[in-house]
Amino acid sequence: MPRKSRITPPSNPWPAIGIEAWTLGMEASAVIGLRVYQHMMAGPAGNAASRAEARLMVEEKVAAAAELHRTMVSGGLGSTPATATKRIIRHYASTVRANRKRLTG
C-alpha cells in the first residue's frame, strides 16, 4: 500500500486575488457613482460640499500612493507577486470601503 504524502502542494492564490480585485472594482465604482451624484445634485457651479469632496478625493489618492510607495520601498509588500498584489488590493480596499460608508451615511 502506498504511503500518503504529508506534504500538500501549494494552492493557487490567484483566483482569490481576482475576486478581491473584482470586489475592489465594484466598490470603487459605487464610490464614483456616489461622488458623481453628489456633484450633480450640487448644480453646475457645485457647492462647498462637492468641492470639498473633490479635494478630498485627490488628497486621498496622493496619500494612498505615497503610503504604498513607502511600503514597497521598505519591503513591506512581501516576497512574492501574489503577496504583493493582495497587500496592494487590501491597501486600497480599506480606503474605498471607508469612503463608501461615509458617502452612504
Side-chain angles (χ1 to χ4, degrees):
M1 203 172 238
R3 287 179 60 183
K4 291 184 179 178
S5 172
R6 292 184 184 208
I7 299 172
T8 57
S11 62
N12 183 355
W14 292 105
I17 292 170
I19 290 170
E20 283 187 57
W22 179 82
T23 302
L24 173 59
M26 295 302 291
E27 285 189 308
S29 294
V31 170
I32 291 167
L34 290 164
R35 285 176 165 157
V36 166
Y37 177 77
Q38 181 185 42
H39 188 69
M40 263 183 14
M41 297 311 291
N47 61 21
S50 68
R51 286 189 294 275
E53 186 63 35
R55 194 170 26 261
L56 178 63
M57 176 182 64
V58 172
E59 289 170 0
E60 284 178 342
K61 289 182 185 333
V62 171
E67 183 182 334
L68 189 59
H69 182 262
R70 282 190 300 275
T71 302
M72 180 188 69
V73 169
S74 68
L77 290 181
S79 59
T80 67
T83 302
T85 304
K86 281 194 285 190
R87 289 181 182 168
I88 290 167
I89 291 169
R90 289 178 183 164
H91 169 78
Y92 285 109
S94 62
T95 303
V96 170
R97 195 167 294 118
N99 281 332
R100 184 180 47 83
K101 287 180 182 177
R102 181 178 50 77
L103 290 167
T104 56

Coordinates of all heavy atoms in Angstrom, one line a residue:
M1 N 0.8 -1.2 0.0 CA 0.0 0.0 0.0 C 0.9 1.2 0.0 O 1.8 1.4 0.8 CB -0.9 0.0 1.3 CG -2.1 0.8 1.1 SD -3.2 0.5 2.5 CE -4.6 -0.1 1.6
P2 N 0.7 2.2 -0.9 CA 1.5 3.4 -1.0 C 1.2 4.3 0.2 O 0.1 4.4 0.7 CB 1.1 4.0 -2.3 CG -0.2 3.4 -2.7 CD -0.3 2.1 -2.0
R3 N 2.3 4.9 0.6 CA 2.2 5.9 1.8 C 1.7 7.2 1.3 O 2.0 7.7 0.2 CB 3.6 6.1 2.4 CG 4.0 4.9 3.2 CD 5.4 5.2 3.7 NE 5.4 6.4 4.6 CZ 6.4 6.9 5.2 NH1 7.6 6.3 5.0 NH2 6.3 7.9 6.0
K4 N 0.8 7.8 2.0 CA 0.3 9.1 1.7 C 1.3 10.2 2.1 O 1.9 10.1 3.2 CB -1.0 9.4 2.4 CG -2.2 8.6 1.9 CD -3.4 8.9 2.6 CE -4.6 8.1 2.1 NZ -5.8 8.4 2.8
S5 N 1.5 11.1 1.2 CA 2.4 12.2 1.5 C 1.8 13.2 2.4 O 0.6 13.5 2.3 CB 2.8 12.9 0.2 OG 3.6 14.1 0.5
R6 N 2.6 13.7 3.4 CA 2.1 14.7 4.3 C 2.3 16.1 3.8 O 1.9 17.1 4.4 CB 2.7 14.5 5.7 CG 2.3 13.3 6.4 CD 2.9 13.2 7.7 NE 2.5 11.9 8.3 CZ 2.4 11.7 9.5 NH1 2.7 12.6 10.4 NH2 2.0 10.5 10.0
I7 N 3.0 16.2 2.7 CA 3.3 17.5 2.1 C 2.1 17.8 1.1 O 1.8 17.0 0.3 CB 4.6 17.5 1.3 CG1 5.8 17.1 2.2 CG2 4.8 18.8 0.6 CD1 7.1 16.9 1.5
T8 N 1.5 19.0 1.4 CA 0.4 19.4 0.5 C 0.9 20.4 -0.5 O 1.7 21.2 -0.2 CB -0.7 20.0 1.3 OG1 -0.2 21.1 2.0 CG2 -1.4 19.0 2.3
P9 N 0.5 20.2 -1.8 CA 1.0 21.1 -2.8 C 0.4 22.5 -2.5 O -0.6 22.7 -1.9 CB 0.4 20.6 -4.1 CG -0.7 19.7 -3.7 CD -0.4 19.2 -2.3
P10 N 1.2 23.6 -2.8 CA 0.7 24.9 -2.6 C -0.5 25.2 -3.5 O -0.6 24.7 -4.6 CB 1.9 25.8 -3.0 CG 2.7 25.0 -3.9 CD 2.5 23.6 -3.5
S11 N -1.5 25.9 -2.9 CA -2.7 26.2 -3.7 C -2.4 27.4 -4.5 O -1.5 28.2 -4.2 CB -3.9 26.4 -2.7 OG -3.6 27.5 -1.9
N12 N -3.2 27.6 -5.5 CA -3.1 28.7 -6.4 C -3.8 29.9 -5.8 O -5.1 29.9 -5.6 CB -3.8 28.4 -7.7 CG -3.6 29.5 -8.8 OD1 -3.1 30.6 -8.5 ND2 -4.0 29.2 -10.0
P13 N -3.1 31.0 -5.4 CA -3.8 32.1 -4.7 C -4.5 33.1 -5.7 O -5.3 33.9 -5.3 CB -2.6 32.9 -4.1 CG -1.4 32.6 -5.0 CD -1.7 31.2 -5.5
W14 N -4.3 33.0 -7.0 CA -4.7 34.0 -7.9 C -6.2 34.0 -8.1 O -6.8 35.1 -8.3 CB -4.0 33.8 -9.3 CG -2.6 34.2 -9.1 CD1 -1.5 33.3 -9.1 CD2 -2.1 35.5 -8.9 NE1 -0.4 34.0 -8.9 CE2 -0.7 35.4 -8.8 CE3 -2.6 36.7 -8.9 CZ2 0.2 36.5 -8.6 CZ3 -1.8 37.8 -8.7 CH2 -0.4 37.7 -8.5
P15 N -7.0 32.9 -8.0 CA -8.5 33.1 -8.1 C -9.0 34.0 -7.0 O -9.9 34.8 -7.2 CB -9.0 31.7 -8.0 CG -7.9 30.8 -8.6 CD -6.6 31.5 -8.1
A16 N -8.5 33.7 -5.8 CA -9.0 34.6 -4.6 C -8.6 36.0 -4.8 O -9.3 36.9 -4.5 CB -8.5 34.0 -3.3
I17 N -7.4 36.2 -5.3 CA -6.9 37.6 -5.6 C -7.8 38.3 -6.6 O -8.1 39.4 -6.5 CB -5.4 37.6 -6.0 CG1 -4.5 37.2 -4.8 CG2 -5.0 39.0 -6.5 CD1 -3.1 36.9 -5.2
G18 N -8.2 37.5 -7.6 CA -9.0 38.0 -8.7 C -10.4 38.5 -8.1 O -10.9 39.5 -8.5
I19 N -10.9 37.7 -7.2 CA -12.2 38.0 -6.5 C -12.0 39.3 -5.7 O -12.9 40.2 -5.7 CB -12.7 36.9 -5.7 CG1 -13.2 35.7 -6.7 CG2 -13.9 37.3 -4.8 CD1 -13.5 34.4 -6.0
E20 N -10.9 39.4 -5.0 CA -10.7 40.6 -4.2 C -10.6 41.8 -5.1 O -11.1 42.9 -4.8 CB -9.4 40.5 -3.4 CG -9.6 39.6 -2.1 CD -8.3 39.7 -1.2 OE1 -7.9 40.8 -0.8 OE2 -7.8 38.6 -1.0
A21 N -9.9 41.7 -6.2 CA -9.7 42.8 -7.2 C -11.1 43.2 -7.8 O -11.4 44.4 -7.9 CB -8.7 42.4 -8.3
W22 N -11.9 42.2 -8.1 CA -13.2 42.5 -8.6 C -14.1 43.2 -7.6 O -14.7 44.2 -7.9 CB -13.9 41.2 -9.1 CG -15.3 41.4 -9.6 CD1 -15.6 41.7 -10.9 CD2 -16.5 41.2 -8.9 NE1 -17.0 41.8 -11.0 CE2 -17.5 41.5 -9.8 CE3 -16.8 40.8 -7.6 CZ2 -18.9 41.4 -9.4 CZ3 -18.1 40.8 -7.2 CH2 -19.1 41.1 -8.1
T23 N -14.0 42.8 -6.4 CA -14.8 43.4 -5.3 C -14.3 44.9 -5.1 O -15.2 45.8 -5.0 CB -14.6 42.6 -4.0 OG1 -15.0 41.3 -4.2 CG2 -15.4 43.3 -2.8
L24 N -13.0 45.1 -5.1 CA -12.5 46.4 -5.0 C -13.0 47.3 -6.2 O -13.4 48.4 -6.0 CB -11.0 46.4 -5.0 CG -10.3 47.8 -5.1 CD1 -10.7 48.7 -3.9 CD2 -8.8 47.6 -5.1
G25 N -13.0 46.7 -7.4 CA -13.5 47.5 -8.6 C -15.0 47.8 -8.4 O -15.4 49.0 -8.8
M26 N -15.8 46.9 -7.9 CA -17.2 47.2 -7.7 C -17.4 48.3 -6.6 O -18.2 49.2 -6.8 CB -18.0 45.9 -7.3 CG -18.0 44.8 -8.4 SD -18.7 45.4 -9.9 CE -20.4 45.6 -9.4
E27 N -16.7 48.2 -5.5 CA -16.8 49.2 -4.5 C -16.3 50.6 -5.0 O -16.9 51.6 -4.7 CB -16.1 48.8 -3.2 CG -16.8 47.7 -2.5 CD -16.2 47.4 -1.1 OE1 -14.9 47.2 -1.1 OE2 -16.9 47.5 -0.1
A28 N -15.2 50.6 -5.7 CA -14.7 51.8 -6.3 C -15.8 52.4 -7.3 O -16.0 53.7 -7.3 CB -13.4 51.6 -7.0
S29 N -16.4 51.6 -8.1 CA -17.5 52.1 -9.0 C -18.6 52.7 -8.2 O -19.2 53.7 -8.6 CB -18.0 51.0 -9.8 OG -17.0 50.5 -10.7
A30 N -19.0 52.1 -7.1 CA -20.0 52.6 -6.2 C -19.6 54.0 -5.7 O -20.4 54.9 -5.7 CB -20.4 51.7 -5.1
V31 N -18.4 54.1 -5.2 CA -17.9 55.4 -4.7 C -17.9 56.5 -5.8 O -18.3 57.6 -5.5 CB -16.5 55.3 -4.0 CG1 -15.9 56.6 -3.7 CG2 -16.6 54.4 -2.8
I32 N -17.5 56.1 -7.0 CA -17.5 57.1 -8.1 C -18.9 57.5 -8.3 O -19.2 58.7 -8.5 CB -16.9 56.4 -9.3 CG1 -15.4 56.3 -9.1 CG2 -17.2 57.3 -10.6 CD1 -14.7 55.4 -10.2
G33 N -19.9 56.6 -8.4 CA -21.3 56.9 -8.6 C -21.8 57.9 -7.5 O -22.5 58.8 -7.8
L34 N -21.5 57.6 -6.3 CA -21.9 58.4 -5.2 C -21.3 59.8 -5.3 O -22.0 60.8 -5.1 CB -21.5 57.8 -3.8 CG -22.3 56.5 -3.5 CD1 -21.6 55.8 -2.3 CD2 -23.7 56.9 -3.1
R35 N -20.1 59.9 -5.7 CA -19.5 61.2 -5.8 C -20.1 62.0 -7.0 O -20.3 63.2 -6.9 CB -18.0 61.1 -6.0 CG -17.3 60.8 -4.6 CD -15.8 60.6 -4.8 NE -15.2 60.6 -3.5 CZ -14.0 60.1 -3.2 NH1 -13.4 59.4 -4.2 NH2 -13.5 60.1 -2.0
V36 N -20.3 61.3 -8.1 CA -20.9 62.0 -9.3 C -22.3 62.5 -8.9 O -22.7 63.6 -9.3 CB -21.0 61.0 -10.5 CG1 -21.9 61.5 -11.6 CG2 -19.6 60.8 -11.0
Y37 N -23.1 61.6 -8.2 CA -24.4 62.0 -7.8 C -24.4 63.3 -6.9 O -25.1 64.2 -7.1 CB -25.1 60.9 -7.1 CG -26.5 61.2 -6.6 CD1 -27.6 61.3 -7.4 CD2 -26.7 61.5 -5.2 CE1 -28.8 61.6 -7.0 CE2 -27.9 61.9 -4.7 CZ -29.0 61.9 -5.6 OH -30.2 62.3 -5.2
Q38 N -23.4 63.3 -6.0 CA -23.3 64.4 -5.1 C -23.0 65.7 -5.9 O -23.6 66.8 -5.6 CB -22.2 64.2 -4.0 CG -22.0 65.3 -3.1 CD -20.9 65.1 -2.1 OE1 -19.8 64.6 -2.5 NE2 -21.0 65.4 -0.9
H39 N -22.1 65.6 -6.8 CA -21.7 66.7 -7.6 C -22.9 67.2 -8.5 O -23.1 68.4 -8.7 CB -20.5 66.4 -8.5 CG -19.9 67.6 -9.2 ND1 -19.3 68.6 -8.5 CD2 -19.9 67.9 -10.5 CE1 -19.0 69.6 -9.4 NE2 -19.3 69.2 -10.6
M40 N -23.6 66.2 -9.1 CA -24.8 66.6 -9.9 C -25.8 67.3 -9.1 O -26.4 68.3 -9.6 CB -25.4 65.3 -10.5 CG -25.0 64.9 -11.9 SD -25.8 63.4 -12.5 CE -27.2 63.1 -11.4
M41 N -26.1 66.8 -7.9 CA -27.1 67.5 -7.1 C -26.7 68.9 -6.7 O -27.5 69.7 -6.3 CB -27.4 66.6 -5.9 CG -28.0 65.2 -6.3 SD -29.4 65.3 -7.5 CE -30.7 66.1 -6.5
A42 N -25.4 69.2 -6.7 CA -24.9 70.5 -6.3 C -25.1 71.5 -7.4 O -25.0 72.7 -7.1 CB -23.4 70.4 -5.9
G43 N -25.4 71.1 -8.6 CA -25.6 72.0 -9.7 C -24.3 72.3 -10.4 O -23.2 71.8 -10.1
P44 N -24.4 73.1 -11.5 CA -23.3 73.3 -12.4 C -22.1 74.0 -11.7 O -20.9 73.7 -12.0 CB -23.8 74.2 -13.5 CG -25.3 74.1 -13.4 CD -25.6 73.7 -12.0
A45 N -22.4 74.9 -10.8 CA -21.3 75.5 -10.1 C -20.8 74.8 -8.9 O -19.7 75.1 -8.3 CB -21.7 76.9 -9.6
G46 N -21.5 73.7 -8.5 CA -21.1 72.9 -7.3 C -21.4 73.7 -6.1 O -22.0 74.7 -6.1
N47 N -21.1 73.1 -5.0 CA -21.3 73.8 -3.7 C -20.1 73.4 -2.8 O -19.2 72.7 -3.2 CB -22.6 73.4 -3.0 CG -22.7 71.9 -2.7 OD1 -21.7 71.2 -2.7 ND2 -23.9 71.4 -2.6
A48 N -20.1 73.9 -1.6 CA -18.9 73.7 -0.7 C -18.7 72.2 -0.5 O -17.5 71.7 -0.5 CB -19.1 74.4 0.6
A49 N -19.7 71.4 -0.3 CA -19.6 70.0 0.0 C -19.0 69.3 -1.2 O -18.2 68.4 -1.1 CB -20.9 69.4 0.4
S50 N -19.5 69.6 -2.4 CA -19.0 68.9 -3.6 C -17.5 69.2 -3.9 O -16.7 68.4 -4.3 CB -19.9 69.1 -4.8 OG -19.8 70.4 -5.3
R51 N -17.2 70.5 -3.7 CA -15.8 70.9 -3.9 C -14.9 70.3 -2.8 O -13.8 69.8 -3.1 CB -15.7 72.4 -3.8 CG -16.2 73.1 -5.1 CD -15.9 74.6 -5.2 NE -16.6 75.4 -4.1 CZ -17.8 75.8 -4.2 NH1 -18.5 75.6 -5.3 NH2 -18.3 76.5 -3.2
A52 N -15.4 70.2 -1.6 CA -14.6 69.5 -0.5 C -14.4 68.1 -0.8 O -13.3 67.5 -0.6 CB -15.3 69.7 0.8
E53 N -15.4 67.4 -1.4 CA -15.3 66.0 -1.7 C -14.3 65.8 -2.8 O -13.5 64.9 -2.8 CB -16.7 65.5 -2.1 CG -16.7 64.0 -2.3 CD -16.4 63.1 -1.1 OE1 -16.7 63.5 0.0 OE2 -15.7 62.1 -1.3
A54 N -14.3 66.7 -3.8 CA -13.3 66.6 -4.9 C -11.9 66.8 -4.4 O -11.0 66.0 -4.8 CB -13.7 67.6 -6.0
R55 N -11.7 67.7 -3.5 CA -10.4 68.0 -3.0 C -10.0 66.8 -2.1 O -8.8 66.3 -2.2 CB -10.5 69.2 -2.1 CG -9.1 69.8 -1.7 CD -9.2 71.2 -1.1 NE -10.4 71.5 -0.4 CZ -11.4 72.3 -0.9 NH1 -11.3 72.8 -2.1 NH2 -12.5 72.6 -0.2
L56 N -10.9 66.2 -1.3 CA -10.6 65.0 -0.5 C -10.2 63.9 -1.4 O -9.3 63.1 -1.1 CB -11.8 64.7 0.4 CG -11.6 63.5 1.3 CD1 -10.5 63.6 2.3 CD2 -12.9 63.2 2.0
M57 N -10.9 63.7 -2.5 CA -10.6 62.6 -3.4 C -9.2 62.6 -3.9 O -8.5 61.6 -3.9 CB -11.6 62.6 -4.6 CG -11.4 61.6 -5.6 SD -12.5 61.7 -7.0 CE -12.1 63.3 -7.7
V58 N -8.8 63.8 -4.3 CA -7.4 63.9 -4.9 C -6.4 63.7 -3.7 O -5.4 63.0 -3.9 CB -7.2 65.3 -5.6 CG1 -5.8 65.5 -5.9 CG2 -8.1 65.4 -6.8
E59 N -6.6 64.4 -2.6 CA -5.7 64.2 -1.5 C -5.5 62.8 -1.0 O -4.4 62.3 -0.7 CB -6.2 65.1 -0.3 CG -6.0 66.6 -0.5 CD -6.7 67.4 0.6 OE1 -7.3 66.8 1.5 OE2 -6.6 68.6 0.5
E60 N -6.7 62.0 -1.0 CA -6.6 60.6 -0.6 C -5.8 59.8 -1.6 O -5.1 58.9 -1.2 CB -8.0 60.0 -0.5 CG -8.8 60.4 0.7 CD -10.2 59.9 0.7 OE1 -10.7 59.4 -0.3 OE2 -10.8 59.8 1.8
K61 N -6.0 60.1 -2.9 CA -5.3 59.3 -3.9 C -3.8 59.5 -3.8 O -3.0 58.6 -3.9 CB -5.8 59.7 -5.3 CG -7.2 59.1 -5.6 CD -7.6 59.4 -7.0 CE -9.0 59.0 -7.3 NZ -9.6 57.9 -6.6
V62 N -3.4 60.8 -3.6 CA -2.0 61.1 -3.5 C -1.4 60.5 -2.2 O -0.3 59.8 -2.2 CB -1.7 62.6 -3.5 CG1 -0.3 63.0 -3.1 CG2 -2.1 63.2 -4.9
A63 N -2.1 60.6 -1.1 CA -1.6 60.0 0.2 C -1.5 58.5 0.1 O -0.6 57.9 0.6 CB -2.6 60.4 1.3
A64 N -2.5 57.8 -0.5 CA -2.5 56.4 -0.7 C -1.4 55.9 -1.5 O -0.7 54.9 -1.2 CB -3.9 55.9 -1.2
A65 N -1.1 56.6 -2.6 CA 0.0 56.2 -3.5 C 1.3 56.4 -2.8 O 2.2 55.6 -2.9 CB 0.0 57.0 -4.8
A66 N 1.5 57.5 -2.0 CA 2.7 57.8 -1.3 C 2.9 56.7 -0.2 O 4.1 56.2 0.0 CB 2.7 59.2 -0.7
E67 N 1.9 56.4 0.5 CA 2.0 55.4 1.5 C 2.4 54.0 0.9 O 3.2 53.3 1.5 CB 0.7 55.3 2.3 CG 0.7 54.3 3.5 CD -0.6 54.1 4.2 OE1 -1.4 55.1 4.2 OE2 -0.8 53.1 4.8
L68 N 1.7 53.7 -0.2 CA 2.0 52.4 -0.8 C 3.5 52.4 -1.3 O 4.2 51.4 -1.2 CB 1.1 52.2 -2.0 CG 1.1 50.8 -2.6 CD1 0.9 49.7 -1.6 CD2 0.1 50.7 -3.8
H69 N 4.0 53.5 -1.8 CA 5.4 53.6 -2.2 C 6.3 53.4 -1.1 O 7.3 52.6 -1.2 CB 5.6 55.0 -2.9 CG 7.0 55.1 -3.4 ND1 8.0 55.7 -2.7 CD2 7.6 54.7 -4.6 CE1 9.1 55.7 -3.4 NE2 8.9 55.0 -4.5
R70 N 6.0 54.0 0.1 CA 6.9 53.8 1.3 C 6.9 52.3 1.7 O 7.9 51.8 2.0 CB 6.4 54.7 2.4 CG 6.8 56.1 2.3 CD 6.5 56.9 3.6 NE 5.1 56.9 4.0 CZ 4.2 57.7 3.5 NH1 4.6 58.7 2.6 NH2 2.9 57.7 3.9
T71 N 5.7 51.7 1.6 CA 5.6 50.3 2.0 C 6.4 49.4 1.0 O 7.1 48.5 1.4 CB 4.1 49.8 2.0 OG1 3.4 50.6 2.9 CG2 4.0 48.4 2.4
M72 N 6.4 49.7 -0.3 CA 7.1 49.0 -1.3 C 8.6 49.1 -1.1 O 9.3 48.2 -1.1 CB 6.7 49.4 -2.7 CG 7.4 48.7 -3.8 SD 7.1 49.4 -5.4 CE 8.0 51.0 -5.3
V73 N 9.0 50.4 -0.9 CA 10.5 50.6 -0.7 C 11.0 50.0 0.5 O 12.2 49.5 0.5 CB 10.7 52.2 -0.7 CG1 12.2 52.5 -0.3 CG2 10.4 52.7 -2.1
S74 N 10.2 49.9 1.6 CA 10.7 49.3 2.8 C 10.6 47.8 2.8 O 10.9 47.1 3.8 CB 10.0 49.9 4.0 OG 8.6 49.4 4.0
G75 N 10.1 47.2 1.7 CA 9.9 45.7 1.6 C 8.7 45.2 2.3 O 8.6 44.0 2.5
G76 N 7.7 46.0 2.5 CA 6.5 45.6 3.2 C 5.5 45.0 2.4 O 4.4 44.6 2.9
L77 N 5.7 44.8 1.1 CA 4.7 44.1 0.2 C 4.9 42.6 0.1 O 4.1 42.0 -0.5 CB 4.8 44.7 -1.2 CG 4.3 46.2 -1.3 CD1 4.3 46.7 -2.7 CD2 2.9 46.3 -0.7
G78 N 5.9 42.1 0.7 CA 6.1 40.7 0.7 C 7.1 40.3 -0.4 O 7.7 41.1 -1.1
S79 N 7.3 39.0 -0.5 CA 8.4 38.5 -1.4 C 7.9 37.8 -2.6 O 8.7 37.4 -3.4 CB 9.3 37.5 -0.6 OG 8.5 36.4 -0.1
T80 N 6.6 37.7 -2.8 CA 6.0 37.0 -4.0 C 5.1 38.0 -4.7 O 4.5 38.9 -4.0 CB 5.3 35.7 -3.6 OG1 4.1 36.0 -2.9 CG2 6.2 34.8 -2.9
P81 N 4.9 37.8 -6.0 CA 3.9 38.7 -6.7 C 2.5 38.5 -6.1 O 1.8 39.5 -6.0 CB 4.0 38.1 -8.1 CG 5.3 37.5 -8.2 CD 5.6 36.9 -6.9
A82 N 2.1 37.3 -5.7 CA 0.8 37.1 -5.1 C 0.6 37.9 -3.8 O -0.4 38.6 -3.6 CB 0.5 35.7 -5.0
T83 N 1.6 37.8 -3.0 CA 1.5 38.5 -1.7 C 1.5 40.0 -1.9 O 0.7 40.7 -1.3 CB 2.7 38.1 -0.8 OG1 2.7 36.7 -0.6 CG2 2.7 38.8 0.5
A84 N 2.3 40.5 -2.8 CA 2.3 41.9 -3.1 C 1.0 42.4 -3.6 O 0.5 43.4 -3.2 CB 3.5 42.3 -4.0
T85 N 0.4 41.6 -4.5 CA -0.8 42.0 -5.1 C -1.9 42.0 -4.1 O -2.7 43.0 -4.1 CB -1.2 41.0 -6.3 OG1 -0.1 41.0 -7.2 CG2 -2.5 41.4 -6.9
K86 N -2.0 41.0 -3.2 CA -3.0 41.0 -2.2 C -2.9 42.2 -1.3 O -3.9 42.9 -0.9 CB -2.9 39.8 -1.3 CG -3.5 38.5 -2.0 CD -3.7 37.4 -1.0 CE -2.4 36.8 -0.7 NZ -2.5 35.5 0.1
R87 N -1.6 42.6 -0.9 CA -1.4 43.7 0.0 C -1.8 45.0 -0.6 O -2.3 45.9 0.0 CB 0.0 43.7 0.5 CG 0.2 42.6 1.5 CD 1.6 42.5 2.1 NE 1.7 41.4 3.0 CZ 2.8 40.9 3.5 NH1 4.0 41.5 3.2 NH2 2.8 39.8 4.2
I88 N -1.5 45.1 -1.9 CA -1.9 46.4 -2.6 C -3.4 46.5 -2.7 O -4.0 47.6 -2.4 CB -1.2 46.4 -4.0 CG1 0.3 46.6 -3.9 CG2 -1.9 47.5 -4.9 CD1 1.0 46.3 -5.2
I89 N -4.1 45.4 -3.1 CA -5.5 45.5 -3.1 C -6.1 45.8 -1.8 O -7.0 46.7 -1.7 CB -6.1 44.1 -3.7 CG1 -5.7 43.9 -5.1 CG2 -7.6 44.0 -3.5 CD1 -6.0 42.5 -5.7
R90 N -5.6 45.2 -0.7 CA -6.2 45.5 0.6 C -5.9 46.9 1.1 O -6.7 47.5 1.8 CB -5.7 44.4 1.6 CG -6.3 43.1 1.3 CD -5.8 42.0 2.2 NE -6.4 40.8 1.8 CZ -6.0 39.6 2.2 NH1 -4.9 39.5 2.9 NH2 -6.6 38.5 1.7
H91 N -4.7 47.4 0.6 CA -4.4 48.8 1.0 C -5.4 49.8 0.4 O -5.9 50.7 1.1 CB -3.0 49.1 0.4 CG -2.6 50.5 0.4 ND1 -2.1 51.2 1.6 CD2 -2.6 51.5 -0.6 CE1 -1.9 52.4 1.3 NE2 -2.1 52.6 0.0
Y92 N -5.8 49.6 -0.8 CA -6.8 50.5 -1.5 C -8.2 50.2 -1.0 O -9.0 51.1 -0.9 CB -6.6 50.5 -3.0 CG -5.5 51.2 -3.5 CD1 -4.3 50.6 -4.0 CD2 -5.4 52.6 -3.4 CE1 -3.2 51.3 -4.5 CE2 -4.3 53.3 -3.8 CZ -3.2 52.7 -4.4 OH -2.2 53.4 -4.8
A93 N -8.5 48.9 -0.8 CA -9.8 48.5 -0.4 C -10.3 49.1 0.9 O -11.5 49.5 1.0 CB -9.9 47.0 -0.3
S94 N -9.4 49.3 1.9 CA -9.8 49.9 3.1 C -10.2 51.3 3.0 O -11.2 51.8 3.5 CB -8.7 49.8 4.2 OG -7.5 50.5 3.7
T95 N -9.5 52.1 2.1 CA -9.9 53.5 1.9 C -11.2 53.6 1.1 O -12.1 54.4 1.4 CB -8.8 54.2 1.1 OG1 -7.6 54.1 1.9 CG2 -9.1 55.7 0.9
V96 N -11.3 52.7 0.1 CA -12.5 52.7 -0.7 C -13.7 52.4 0.1 O -14.8 53.0 0.1 CB -12.4 51.8 -1.9 CG1 -13.7 51.6 -2.7 CG2 -11.3 52.3 -2.9
R97 N -13.6 51.4 1.0 CA -14.7 50.9 1.8 C -15.1 52.0 2.8 O -16.3 52.3 3.0 CB -14.3 49.7 2.6 CG -15.4 48.9 3.2 CD -15.0 47.5 3.7 NE -14.7 46.7 2.5 CZ -13.5 46.2 2.3 NH1 -12.5 46.4 3.1 NH2 -13.3 45.5 1.2
A98 N -14.1 52.7 3.4 CA -14.4 53.8 4.3 C -15.1 55.0 3.6 O -16.1 55.6 4.1 CB -13.1 54.3 4.9
N99 N -14.7 55.2 2.3 CA -15.4 56.3 1.5 C -16.9 55.9 1.2 O -17.8 56.7 1.3 CB -14.7 56.6 0.2 CG -13.5 57.4 0.4 OD1 -13.4 58.2 1.3 ND2 -12.5 57.2 -0.4
R100 N -17.1 54.6 0.9 CA -18.4 54.2 0.6 C -19.3 54.3 1.8 O -20.4 54.9 1.7 CB -18.4 52.7 0.1 CG -19.8 52.2 -0.3 CD -19.8 50.8 -0.8 NE -19.1 49.9 0.1 CZ -19.6 49.3 1.2 NH1 -20.8 49.6 1.5 NH2 -18.8 48.5 1.9
K101 N -18.8 54.0 3.0 CA -19.6 54.1 4.2 C -19.9 55.5 4.5 O -21.0 55.9 4.9 CB -18.9 53.4 5.4 CG -18.9 51.9 5.3 CD -18.2 51.3 6.4 CE -18.2 49.8 6.3 NZ -17.5 49.1 7.4
R102 N -18.9 56.4 4.3 CA -19.0 57.8 4.6 C -20.1 58.5 3.7 O -20.9 59.2 4.1 CB -17.7 58.5 4.5 CG -17.8 60.0 4.8 CD -16.4 60.7 4.8 NE -15.6 60.4 3.6 CZ -15.8 60.9 2.3 NH1 -16.8 61.8 2.2 NH2 -15.1 60.6 1.3
L103 N -20.0 58.1 2.4 CA -20.9 58.7 1.4 C -22.3 58.2 1.5 O -23.2 58.9 1.0 CB -20.3 58.5 0.0 CG -19.0 59.3 -0.3 CD1 -18.3 58.8 -1.5 CD2 -19.3 60.8 -0.3
T104 N -22.5 57.0 2.0 CA -23.9 56.5 2.1 C -24.5 56.8 3.5 O -25.6 56.5 3.7 CB -23.9 55.0 1.9 OG1 -23.0 54.3 2.8 CG2 -23.5 54.6 0.5
G105 N -23.7 57.4 4.3 CA -24.1 58.0 5.5 C -24.6 57.3 6.7 O -25.3 57.5 7.5

